[in-house]
Amino acid sequence: MKTICLIPGDGIGQEVIPAAAEVLQTLELGLTFVEAEAGFACFENHGSALPDESLDMARKSDAVLFGATSSPSTIVAGYRSPILTLRREFDLYANLRPVFSLPGPFSRPGIDLLIVRENTEGLYSGREHQEGDTAIAERVITRQGSERIVRTACEQAMLRAKQRGKPPMLTIVHKANVLKLTDGLFRECALKVAAEFPEIQVNESLVDSAAMKLVKSPESLDVLVTTNLFGDILSDEASALVGGLGVAPSANVGKGTPVFEPVHGSAPDIAGKGIANPVGALFSASMMLETLEFLQEAARVRKAVLDTLAGGLYTVDMGGKNTTEEFTKAVKERLQ
Ligand code: NAI
Ligand code: MG
């Protein structure tokens, strides 16, 4: 019996996570759901964006399905982004962000790639300070952090090659020509670890050029591995090729309870209107089922979403007219 901790969070997290939970419930897998509070509203109510009880619930569960939280762009005393806390607390060092073509006019064809983003260090290490009118952020890159993320990327490349019956490919994305120490170390570690996987065809790309290739020829890319900030930006960019932020799923994996979340944020501009796209959350739920080794059910959820899109149902962000509820109902019907 597996326990899933639902953390809807703020904004449209409160709409897409219940939708994903409803779909999971139709599968009758005997999953137990517990719900934990987190986010900005939670911070305003309880003085903590991720109370200890929520962290405990997440720790004791087999997986977390996380929506999104609203993080202010200014310093708010005592506020810390819950997703960053979860990644740090559970040492979820790998963020897996698959991007694949979808059936519909909103998506380009022929895309099937995976961005493997380092999740615990880089420019998001939380080491910022100010000296008068100069503000400084430290970009922390470690040998251990780099080696383990590249190893994960190589394992993913091997797995995908096996599933798809094609040769594994890895693109190491960095900016070592400018960031000679930080990305120099990342690149050195990446090439060393990748050499342990002789079957993998390894390329490297400077991040600006990788951003261009993502738009120009995404069909030629398989697995990309990169540091935290670059991965954050490139994955949002890549999502636009296949329908936008609303369809992009992700998995945070590493040592502790894995956390699955749509890539998008709390979307305050559309929150509460019932029009949020649940596809990213549903694909994230499918990734969660795969990790929990419900392989058939993971594939069924994915297929039900793809078939629903192919049937012409989609939300406003993708140029459709369906609501969150209509889309979710259609997916559930395909699974019953
Ligand atoms: P966002 O992803 O919330 O929204 C960007 C744009 O995409 C908006 O126009 C929004 O309406 C649209 N969009 C996003 N997801 C959608 C969906 N499922 N269906 C339909 N349209 C969708 O990013 P933004 O605006 O940069 O940030 C808003 C808030 O979210 C901020 O407070 C930010 O800190 C937070 N955020 C939280 C994340 C997390 O909790 N993991 C990740 C990214 C942002
Ligand atoms: Mg992001």
Side-chain angles (χ1 to χ4, degrees):
M1 178 90 104
K2 302 282 186 192
T3 302
I4 310 297
C5 179
L6 303 172
I7 306 185
D10 298 311
I12 63 166
Q14 293 286 346
E15 299 167 50
V16 298
I17 295 305
E22 266 183 52
V23 167
L24 288 170
Q25 261 150 355
T26 60
L27 299 175
E28 294 177 0
L29 291 171
L31 299 172
T32 303
F33 293 92
V34 294
E35 190 166 323
E37 268 192 279
F40 200 74
C42 175
F43 172 74
E44 287 182 319
N45 293 333
H46 308 295
S48 167
L50 185 67
D52 287 344
E53 309 84 79
S54 297
L55 192 59
D56 267 0
M57 280 165 88
R59 187 175 281 119
K60 288 184 187 133
S61 300
D62 295 287
V64 173
L65 191 57
F66 185 93
T69 59
S70 299
S71 291
S73 292
T74 52
I75 295 176
V76 174
Y79 182 88
R80 198 167 165 229
S81 160
I83 189 69
L84 294 185
T85 307
L86 284 168
R87 288 170 182 163
R88 199 77 50 85
E89 280 289 323
F90 297 165
D91 201 10
L92 304 174
Y93 56 84
N95 196 322
L96 310 179
R97 299 187 156 189
V99 178
F100 46 89
S101 295
L102 298 176
F106 42 77
S107 172
R108 280 168 61 173
I111 301 169
D112 184 16
L113 58 88
L114 174 70
I115 296 178
V116 179
R117 163 188 173 192
E118 202 293 322
N119 223 9
T120 51
E121 50 184 44
L123 257 179
Y124 294 175
S125 301
R127 285 161 65 164
E128 280 194 300
H129 67 280
Q130 191 155 0
E131 294 164 12
D133 283 338
T134 303
I136 296 162
E138 288 180 282
R139 184 167 188 268
V140 181
I141 302 288
T142 66
R143 185 175 296 281
Q144 190 225 4
S146 303
E147 287 185 356
R148 66 183 184 174
I149 191 66
V150 178
R151 189 157 283 116
T152 299
C154 290
E155 286 162 3
Q156 288 291 322
M158 294 302 291
L159 181 69
R160 286 165 60 88
K162 198 170 151 204
Q163 289 165 343
R164 291 161 175 75
K166 32 178 226 192
M169 256 173 37
L170 178 74
T171 306
I172 302 162
V173 179
H174 60 77
K175 189 72 183 175
N177 58 333
V178 176
L179 302 166
K180 291 190 195 292
L181 287 179
T182 51
D183 264 357
L185 179 59
F186 178 75
R187 174 176 180 271
E188 180 202 317
C189 294
L191 291 170
K192 183 183 141 227
V193 171
E196 294 169 20
F197 297 80
E199 302 92 334
I200 302 180
Q201 184 198 319
V202 181
N203 308 298
E204 46 182 313
S205 183
L206 297 175
V207 64
D208 38 0
S209 154
M212 186 275 297
K213 275 184 212 146
L214 264 177
V215 173
K216 196 173 174 209
S217 50
E219 313 77 16
S220 67
L221 297 165
D222 181 10
V223 177
L224 294 88
V225 65
T226 191
T227 50
N228 206 337
L229 173 70
F230 295 164
D232 192 4
I233 297 172
L234 293 181
S235 55
D236 274 27
E237 182 196 350
S239 78
L241 302 167
V242 298
L245 267 179
V247 302
S250 75
N252 299 272
V253 295
K255 295 207 175 125
T257 313
V259 176
F260 300 83
E261 48 154 353
V263 170
H264 63 74
S266 58
D269 53 339
I270 59 159
K273 295 187 178 156
I275 57 169
N277 190 346
V279 171
L282 290 169
F283 283 146
S284 302
S286 166
M287 290 177 84
M288 178 179 82
L289 291 176
E290 215 174 316
T291 302
L292 295 175
E293 290 180 3
F294 294 115
L295 300 184
Q296 276 183 356
E297 290 79 4
R300 278 184 72 213
V301 170
R302 184 171 151 133
K303 183 169 186 305
V305 174
L306 293 173
D307 289 348
T308 304
L309 292 170
L313 258 79
Y314 38 95
T315 45
V316 190
D317 53 309
M318 297 202 291
K321 56 180 171 46
N322 296 105
T323 61
T324 314
E325 195 184 332
E326 285 163 354
F327 189 89
T328 307
K329 185 161 168 270
V331 173
K332 274 164 48 186
E333 280 167 6
R334 285 181 186 273
L335 290 169
Q336 268 152 4

